[in-house]
Amino acid sequence: VLIDLKMNKLKPENFGQMNMYVNYYKEEVNDEYDQDPIGIILCADKDAALAKMAVQGINNNIYATKYTTVMPDYEVLQNEVQKVIAMYNEKEDK
């Protein structure tokens, strides 16, 4: 997993840059037993429509998300973790 932290709003060129990083890693670092690398762009703000358009035509797994600089309250965080665990357990039961 390759992670690029952007201090500003997500820009279309960020996807091209990450695509280059992923391609380089795939060609120069991965060996025959490795899975393809995944690129994650963390940014201060993200426009979902821009992100959708920017990744069209890119064959690599590249994702963008907005980061937060403030941790939620313990109770809120604990509830969110419990929701994720419950969803995972439901999928495993099926």
Side-chain angles (χ1 to χ4, degrees):
V1 176
L2 305 168
I3 299 174
D4 190 2
L5 175 63
K6 300 294 184 186
M7 301 302 289
N8 299 310
K9 186 174 181 177
L10 183 67
K11 298 176 185 173
E13 56 265 26
N14 299 145
F15 289 95
Q17 183 180 30
M18 178 57 79
N19 192 50
M20 181 191 68
Y21 295 157
V22 170
N23 285 333
Y24 173 83
Y25 202 88
K26 192 186 311 184
E27 292 292 320
E28 301 295 328
V29 179
N30 273 12
D31 64 27
E32 60 186 274
Y33 304 106
D34 288 331
Q35 294 182 9
D36 286 344
I38 297 171
I40 299 174
I41 304 167
L42 300 175
C43 51
D45 197 10
K46 179 186 94 165
D47 180 331
L50 178 139
K52 181 179 176 184
M53 292 293 142
V55 295
Q56 287 183 350
I58 293 178
N59 295 326
N60 291 316
N61 291 317
I62 298 176
Y63 307 95
T65 191
K66 181 179 174 181
Y67 63 83
T68 182
T69 58
V70 178
M71 288 291 290
D73 292 333
Y74 177 80
E75 293 80 19
V76 172
L77 187 58
Q78 187 176 26
N79 288 337
E80 291 300 315
V81 169
Q82 292 301 325
K83 286 180 194 176
V84 171
I85 291 170
M87 287 186 336
Y88 177 79
N89 288 337
E90 287 176 14
K91 287 182 182 180
E92 289 292 311
D93 290 340
K94 291 182 181 181

